[in-house]
Amino acid sequence: MFAPVIAIDAMGGDYGPRCIVPASLSLLADLPSLHLALVGQSSLLERLIAEHSSVDRTRLQIVDAEDVIGMAERPAQALRGRSQSSMHVALELVREGRAQACVSAGNTGALMALARQVLKTLPGIDRPAMVTAIPTRANPCLLLDLGANVDCTAEQLQQFALMGSVAAQALGTDRPRVALLNIGIEEIKGNQQVKLAATLLKQTQGLNFIGFIEGDGLYRGEADVVVCDGFVGNVLLKSSEGLAEMVIARVEALFRRSLAARIVGGLALPMLRQLRTELRPSRYNGASFLGLQGIVVKSHGSAGEAGFRSAILRAAEDIQHDLPGHLRERLAQGLGSDNVTASGSRPSN
C-alpha cells in the first residue's frame, strides 16, 4: 500500500532541530500510518534521534542537507546557490515525488520564493496564498492570505477567494460563504483595491461571494472563507493568538485571587481546560500554501513542539484531501477561470 511521506525542514524556525526532532518523533509514535523524512544536517539529527528510545526507523528517513537558510535572509539570497539548504532539499523531495508534502518553520519569504521556483504554481494562479483555520463561534473559518503576499492586487484577492472556496469544499463545507475583510460591510467602504476585488468576485461564476465582512463578523462565524492581503491577515492572525492567550491567562488569574474564587475555579476547571484546548494557538498552527503544484505547510517560526505537531498534522490532512488536485480540477472545469484576471489573461508562473 502507498504510504505518503512528509518532508520536514528540520533546521528551520527559531528553535531548529532541538524542537522539530522531538515533535516529529512524538507524532511518529502516536500515528502508526505516518512516514517522515527529516531534512537537515544528518550528524546533528542522528544525535538528537539517539536521545529518544523506540524510534521506528522504518517510517523515518534522514536526508542530508548541510546548508541552512537564516530566518533574516532575503528571499533573493535563498534563490541563489542554496540548492543544498534543508528547505530547498525538502521541496525537491516533493517535486520528485519522494514526499507528498513539505513542512517548514523557516523563513516565510524564502519558503514562498523557493516553493514557487521548485514546485511552480497551478495554471491560472499568480501567487500562492497562506491559509489557516481560525476558531469562531460556529465552525472554523479559513483565512487567507496570512503574510505570503503583503501587497496584493484585486485580481490576486480574487484568486485567493477561489482557492479558499475550493479548500473549504475539500474540507467538507458545501457552498462555502466567501467574504472580503473590510472596515465596513457597506459597498462604499474600503480602499480601491478591496472595492475592485469585490466587483471581480461578484462576476466569478460558481463562487458564493457574500460581500464584505468586518473582523467581529469573522469571529461570529458569518463566513466560511475570509480573504484579505497578507499584511492585514498576518496582523489579524497574530492579534488573535495574543488575545486568546491573554483571555485564558486573565480567567485563570481571576480564579486564583481568593479562596472563594479558587473553590469556584475548581468547579470550573474542566470547562477552563476545554477552553484552553479550543483556543490555544498551537492547535491551529500550520498554514497551507494554496496554489502550488504540491503541498507546503508553513509553521510559525516560534512554534514549540505542540505547535509543530499541529503543522505536520495539517500537511497530513492536505495530503488526505489532495488540495492541489482539487484546485487543478476546479480550475480546469472553469470555476472562475474566465475571471482570474480583470483582463481575462492568465498570469504566468
Side-chain angles (χ1 to χ4, degrees), residues 55-349:
V55 178
D56 185 354
R57 295 301 295 258
T58 64
R59 296 186 288 118
L60 178 66
Q61 307 171 41
I62 302 298
V63 180
D64 188 56
E66 290 300 314
D67 193 11
V68 180
I69 294 176
M71 295 296 284
E73 285 190 43
R74 294 182 179 275
Q77 292 177 277
L79 292 173
R80 291 196 297 265
R82 308 298 296 277
S83 61
Q84 293 307 306
S85 69
S86 57
M87 186 183 290
H88 193 285
V89 172
L91 289 167
E92 284 287 354
L93 293 179
V94 178
R95 185 185 67 81
E96 296 167 0
R98 296 166 58 191
Q100 285 62 55
C102 166
V103 179
S104 176
N107 184 315
T108 301
L111 183 62
M112 170 71 148
L114 284 172
R116 290 185 69 196
Q117 180 188 70
V118 174
L119 300 177
K120 312 300 182 185
T121 56
L122 292 166
I125 298 299
D126 183 7
R127 295 177 64 83
M130 291 172 62
V131 61
T132 195
I134 299 292
T136 74
R137 292 186 190 177
N139 296 319
C141 170
L142 295 184
L143 176 67
L144 70 164
D145 179 46
L146 299 175
N149 306 280
V150 175
D151 296 307
C152 299
T153 65
E155 291 79 15
Q156 288 168 346
L157 292 177
Q158 184 193 29
Q159 294 172 24
F160 298 168
L162 171 62
M163 293 191 292
S165 178
V166 173
Q169 290 179 67
L171 295 173
T173 302
D174 184 43
R175 195 166 166 72
R177 300 161 297 166
V178 179
L180 274 172
L181 189 62
N182 199 2
I183 59 174
I185 61 173
E186 300 86 359
E187 291 189 1
I188 62 171
K189 295 288 183 69
N191 56 30
Q192 287 301 115
Q193 168 206 43
V194 170
K195 291 178 182 177
L196 179 55
T199 300
L200 294 176
L201 291 176
K202 290 175 184 177
Q203 300 169 356
T204 304
Q205 298 178 2
L207 192 71
N208 183 19
F209 177 58
I210 63 172
F212 295 138
I213 192 172
E214 297 181 67
D216 56 347
L218 185 159
Y219 293 106
R220 285 196 295 267
E222 294 176 0
D224 303 300
V225 178
V226 172
V227 177
C228 58
D229 64 49
F231 182 91
V232 173
N234 191 270
V235 171
L236 175 61
L237 177 67
K238 291 178 179 176
S239 298
S240 301
E241 293 170 346
L243 177 62
E245 291 175 343
M246 185 272 289
V247 168
I248 293 171
R250 289 291 296 272
V251 170
E252 291 177 340
L254 285 173
F255 283 128
R256 291 195 297 267
R257 282 191 173 180
S258 65
L259 177 60
R262 287 195 292 272
I263 294 172
V264 174
L267 296 174
L269 188 59
M271 289 183 289
L272 283 175
R273 287 174 176 167
Q274 182 178 351
L275 178 65
R276 186 188 299 112
T277 298
E278 291 178 353
L279 294 182
R280 73 179 190 271
S282 62
R283 179 183 180 187
Y284 296 91
N285 181 49
S288 304
F289 275 10
L290 292 182
L292 293 168
Q293 299 189 51
I295 294 170
V296 178
V297 172
K298 173 66 174 70
S299 166
H300 280 307
S302 60
E305 291 185 27
F308 199 83
R309 280 171 56 103
S310 295
I312 299 174
L313 289 173
R314 169 60 55 198
E317 289 181 10
D318 287 357
I319 294 172
Q320 179 183 353
H321 296 294
D322 185 21
L323 287 187
H326 276 283
L327 274 170
R328 186 182 294 108
E329 179 182 351
R330 297 304 292 273
L331 288 168
Q333 290 173 354
L335 174 58
S337 61
D338 293 334
N339 300 293
V340 172
T341 66
S343 64
S345 62
R346 303 300 180 107
S348 62
N349 289 341

